[in-house]
Structures are given as C-alpha cells and as structure tokens.
Amino acid sequence: MSKYASHPSPDLAILGDTLQVQPSSISADQTSHEQSLLEPYARFRSDPINALQELGLHLTGTGWRSYDKIIGRDIFYPGFSENMKAMVMRQGKLQTRISELAQRRVEVEIHEGLLGPKGLEGEEQEHRTRRLARRRQIEEELREVAEDWTDKMICKMDSKVFIRGAYYLCTQLLTRAYHQGIHVSSHEVLQLRVVAEKAAAKKQSIIFLPCHRSHVDYVSLQLVCYRLGLALPTVVAGDNLNFPVIGPFLQHAGAMWIRRSFGDDQLYTTLVQSYIDTLLLNGYNIECFVEGGRSRTGKLLQPKFGILSFLLDSVLSGRVEDAIVCPVSTQYDKVIEVDSYISELLGQPKPKEDLFQFLSASNVLSLKLGRVDVRFHEPWSLRGFIDQQRSRLVKSPSIETMYDAAFKRKLLTTLGYKVLKEINDVSVVMPTALVGTVLLTLRGRGVGKSELVRRVNWLSDRVRAQGGRVAHFAESTTEIVDNKALAVLGPKLVGRVEGLQEETFHAEDRFQLSFYRNMTIHLFVSQALVCAAVYTKVKLGGGPESQRISYAELADYVLFLSQLFRAEFIYPTEGLRDTLDSTLQGLERDGVLLAFRNNVVSNEIEYIELHPEERASGRENFDFYCFLIWPFIEASWLGAISLFMLTPPHHHADTDAWLDYKTVQDRAQLLGKTLYHQGDLSYFEAVNKDALKNAFGRSEEEGMIAVTRSRDAKVPPKVRLELDWIPSRDAAGRLVAEGKLWEMCERISHSRREGKNRRDGTTVRTRVLGLAEMVGEDLFEDAVLDAEGQASKSRRRRSIQTRAQL
C-alpha cells in the first residue's frame, strides 16, 4: 500500500501567549511542517456543559483567549473608532482636497454670477468677503460629508469582549463546515511572528495580500491572526456586503467598507487614500485581495490595481516610510460557494450577497468539507521593493522619477504580478484538487481505484518537481487520502460504480470538478502549452517522422497560445526562449518528449517529437498536459467563432451598426451551449462567462473588435467588428470561411482535441458558421428594434416638451 506523497510534521501548539513547536520524529530532509490550528469546539446540542464552559472562557478572556498581549498596535478598546475618525480627518491630503473642491465650487458660482463679478470698482472687497465666507461654508459642508463617509467606512474595533465572542462564534461556524479545521505551516507562522514583532517595534504595518476564492478567506485569516496573537488586520471589503446584521458585525470585527466603483468622486477617492495613509502611518495591519473579487474558476485572476495603488502611493510618495507585504494563499478541500459560481459562469444572474443566510443555512453548517490550508509567503519590505525596481527600471534614478506616471504604472504592474506569483509559490495542492485533476485528464469513461491511486501519486510527484506543495496528511496512505477527497467531493461531483470487479469512479460533474483542477494548472502551464503545440502534429497521425515539429514552429505556436491566454494564466517571469528551453528539458528528462539537436557543438534543437517511452505508455503523460489546456483552447476557439455573429446580415441596411456588448456576450454563450449539445464543442466548461469575457477582451486588445464605453454608467457599452475583420459572403449571401477572422479560428483549431465527442471537417464551414449567422441575425434585429424604441421615446419626449411650452 503506497504512502501519500507528503512529509512528516511536528505539532503546532499555542501555549498561553507563546507559540512553540513540539518535537516529533522529523526526517533530516523535511521541508514542510504543518498542523491544524483550530479544533472544533463542543456542540451545545451534544455537550451543552462543555460548550458553555468554552464560551465562558472566551467571554472572560482566559489565557490566550484574552487577546490582551498582541503583537502590533493596540486595537479593540473603547473610543477606537472616534480616534481613528479624528486621525483620518486630520490628514493633510484630505484637508487640501476639501479646500481645492471648495475653491472650484466658488469659481463656478462666480462664473454663474452668483457671487458677483471680479474687479468691479468699489465692490471688490465686499465680493471677496462673500467669496471667502462661501468658501468656508462649502468647506464645512464637505467636512461634514467626509466625516459621515468616514464613519461608514472605517472598521470599528471598540470592544474586546465582542471580538472574543466573535472569534468563538466564527470558529464554531467554520469548524462545522470545515470539520478538519484550519491548517498552517509552523515554520511560516513562527517566521511571521518574528517579522510582526520587528514591524511593531518600528510601528510599521503588515499588508496581508491573500488570494480570493471564498467568503471564508477573510474569516480564516482573521481567526489565524487572533489565535497567533497578532493584531487583526483591517480588511478592505466592498460595501455590497454591508447589509443589516452582518454588515455591522463584520465592521466591528475588522472590515472597512468601500464602494465597488469610485467614479470621478475626488473627495471619496482622497478619503480612501487618507484612511489608508492613517492606517499605515500608525502601524495598523491591512488585508486586501489583490484579485479584487472572488475567483469563480479556481485559478488566480489577473491583479486588480485599485486598492493596491493606494497602498503603493502611500509609501512611494514618502507619506509613509515603509510597510511589510505578506502574500497569503488560502486553499480548500471544497469551496462552499462553488455551486453558485457554476450558475454564474453559465449565465445566471449573480445573487445578491447575503452572508446571514450563508452562515445560518443548516445545509452548509452540517457539511463535511474537509479543511482549510493557509500559507504565508516570506514577508518583504515595500520600500525595499520600490528602491529595487527604481534602480532596475530607471536609468538615472532621481526624485522626479518617483512621481513619473509611466514609472508608477510599471511599478504597480510589477507589484501585482509579483504578489500573484508568490501566492502560487506557497499554495498547497489539496487532495480534492489532485483527484479532480486526475479524473479530468484521463481518457475513457472511468478509472479503477488502483489506477486512481497510481495517478494521484504520479501527480503528487509532478507537483513537487515543479516546486509546488502537497497538503500534509501525517502517515496516511494515498488510498486513505483519496477516500477522504472522494468523500468531500461527494457523489454529485464524482460518480462511483459498484458491483464491478474493481471499484470504479468517473467525473459526474465535469464543470464543477474543473474548479479543483484549476487549482493545479498554474504549476503546469508551460508544459501544457508546449504539449499543445506538439499536438498540432501528433493529431495528424502517421509515423513518428510525420508527427515531428520543428523548434521554430514550436516556439511560434507556443508564443501564439501564450498571447491567447495572457488573461487566463500567470506566466513565469523569464523570457519565452528561456522558459521554452527549460520546459523542453524537463519534458525530455521525464520521458514525455524527445528533442533532436543538429550537432553536438551548438546543441541547438532542430525538431521535437513524442518520446518512444511515451508512445509505448499510450501517451498518458503527454495527454495529461494536453487535457489541462484543451478546455481553454476550446473556449478561445468559441470566442473567435462568436465574432462571426457580429457580421452585419447581407440584408441589413446599416453595415456600421453597434450592438449591445453584454447581449453579444450572452448570445456567444448561447451559441456555445448549442454547439456543445450538437457535438461541435468538446468541453461544456468552454462556455463559461469568464472565459468568453477574456476572449472578447483579447479581441479588443488585438483590434479585432471596437468597443465604445460611456462615462455614464447607465449607458451600456457597444461593440462591432472592425472593418478589416469582417468576413465576406458568397453569391447567396452566406458567410464564407476565409479571411483574417477565419484564419484566426483555424489557427486556434489546430490544437483542439480530436475525438468522437466533437464533429470535425466541413461541419465548421456549414453548421457552425450557419449557427453563428443565425444568432447574429437575431442580434441585429434586436438592435434595430432597440434603436426604433429609443427613437420613439425621443419623439415622445420632444412632443411632451413642445406641448408643455405651448
């Protein structure tokens, strides 16, 4: 019976106010020490006496529960909110902005003649006095607005009794759902405490930057900080979560509320910056999600630079001397919200946020979802990062370059992707991700238990070979760990066929399982792109010689795919050539590919083909990498095919018509669902909303489509095909499979998966383009009706205005 691929671990114990690692049998080459940090409390129904005792210990603050001797700035005391609000309102940046806005308003009123003209003989002093009084009045009104906004925005850490009870309540709720608790690395948390002690001595903040997959993310990090005796961070959260009962609870536990969009509101923007400055100047910890919203697909999203730019500006401007950055990875055996994520990706409206229902739902609290793993990257100085990048990016560093817009954009972009890379570096691959990945990367209808165990072991080895981490499960065998993963995933995701010679499993819900597969894909993106490029030759069939690909062709197609997926994946920071060569070396070393070099001296690769060992094994490892990337290739192909919908019908009068952008994306998803059910699309997950959104965004960047966006949020964006991308029609008015757009579809199609699940050949030229045209005709008809409706409304408004004037 095989051992699960992990390392032994010492116990992590928190005794009183100190953190200690208990010695245990640790091997000399041990690299991963982890242990559960939170254990389930006694339940009131089953053990009411112990449950009441535990609650009493928290409310009275016995031992570590008191949260008195914390590392960091003093928080949770009466008057905290009022002190914070006063500090924010005293910020010079905010006061300057209020004065500027008041002066602008006065100048507008002068221009409108409300405060008298400038330079009028004998009246100048009187007008100056009126203007000064008016300016002061406006400043006072703006201060009242700013104070009201500040009160609604800031976290209100005013009660230590409250946070003790909140810790107990949240631990009760979390450990009901995640019955195996929260696990951390003892090495990482000890290192974090040392850094926190040094930061506290310098009155510096720690900026926690976690990935974001679930609402549980910020709850779990707050619980970890509380249990370790660290000052809880102020959590930057969208005000869509600020609703009755739950909103105030979260705000008193550390949440600060900000709008989802600031628009052109200069006062609000300055107020947020002033609050961030206040927190960093006084050494209060901060937590914000570098991806912005929650990932619905399981993999990291591209960075959002909103709050990150405020944090960077505080230090870059010199208003704050320094802050410590700590990227954080939070991984789950199973994410509670996955069902709703799939519904959203399939086009259903996003439900209004309602954490109260989420936390109180008995079906959630009674689930057995495994465990949560929280990992901390080694913290680093934001000032040190800025200085390092300035010396690298700027040839002649000077104080002026610190305020150069181009430099700040480069710095912000580098910061965002550096954090994402480091989150990936410390992320732990959970057993559910291993099992889900294996089930979605095997040919055939199902897999036997012994084969599942073998492939999970192989994948665990591949994860570690790529520098990744596999979740620790003590001395458990792979079979035991697989059984736990299968139990967590449940029969809705993984089907089980019993009564056979061997217990057999299959992917029941491939779409949901793709969420867990995407938790591993960041480790194998380079290998997947290379194998997909080789596959363009392998799919043609024939002998080994006919399935070879030249190095030049390989590099060209890998570059093409890399550009195609630049909004999907976080790539290595090395250049394409270096990454390609190192990836080829690894695949050759693993017996997947074989590279032929033209001579020993230059060692240049001439062509690449499948390794003989890989052919002999039935291409299982080569196929593994292809299976990882095929759904994304399929989604990109769908995105390109969908652009044929934007071709004006031959009978349409206005060839320059603009279409509603959201409606176009919705219809593209409808087209994808139709193609899937009719056999022209291999992967149902290819129709997901996020992938299509990324495909359309890439098409806009490449100049394939034009998009108009209004500054008025009520006016929806419009889209159309650029003229040189519009396909031609034949004599009968049918779309012709030629031109730039068709060539793009064909190039993507070269690496699409062949097989019985998808029709090939001329069906694309007839049925698929025919369906795209059918959807396009409906789009343009709707656009005409919409335009006529708008014109009718406009005529009615003008008629009403005319009658009113008469």
Side-chain angles (χ1 to χ4, degrees), residues 268-280:
Y268 189 81
T269 302
T270 305
L271 181 61
V272 173
Q273 182 69 71
S274 298
Y275 186 27
I276 296 294
D277 286 352
T278 301
L279 292 170
L280 295 179

Side-chain angles (χ1 to χ4, degrees), residues 2-32:
S2 57
K3 288 288 185 182
Y4 179 64
S6 185
H7 296 283
S9 165
D11 295 334
L12 178 65
I14 296 182
L15 307 174
D17 295 314
T18 63
L19 183 70
Q20 297 180 357
V21 179
Q22 301 286 4
S24 63
S25 55
I26 307 173
S27 60
D29 62 344
Q30 177 182 324
T31 59
S32 175

